[in-house]
Amino acid sequence: MYYVGQSTRVVGRLIQHLTGCGNGDVYADYKYGDDFELNVVSLRESGYDSLDALERDTIAAYDAYGRGYNRTRGNRN
């Protein structure tokens, strides 16, 4: 399963998810021992102009809304 998110403060946001202050499903699976892998994509090197666009396309590419942890298809700003 995948979870796609965005942040300008990646470490802090990751800590939120892994301590129960972010996506509850990610936290539950982490708490009960599931393994996770973190991949960080820099906006600067992505070819995108905005984090929102990068997030939306990545959620779609990994089907993280339909078959993953994402509860939305991404921000629409």
Side-chain angles (χ1 to χ4, degrees):
M1 289 181 57
Y2 293 95
Y3 173 75
V4 177
Q6 63 169 296
S7 179
T8 57
R9 297 183 178 105
V10 175
V11 174
R13 187 64 178 133
L14 176 61
I15 289 169
Q16 287 178 327
H17 284 302
L18 300 181
T19 58
C21 298
N23 182 296
D25 295 326
V26 170
Y27 171 67
D29 285 350
Y30 174 76
K31 180 180 174 181
Y32 292 108
D34 285 3
D35 290 328
F36 284 85
E37 179 179 316
L38 173 67
N39 294 298
V40 177
V41 177
S42 169
L43 177 64
R44 183 176 299 131
E45 298 170 11
S46 71
Y48 283 84
D49 293 329
S50 75
L51 285 174
D52 290 339
L54 174 58
E55 179 187 46
R56 279 192 310 273
D57 285 354
T58 307
I59 289 170
Y62 286 97
D63 196 17
Y65 175 76
R67 298 176 23 144
Y69 293 106
N70 285 83
R71 295 181 182 147
T72 70
R73 296 182 192 281
N75 291 317
R76 296 281 171 199
N77 294 331

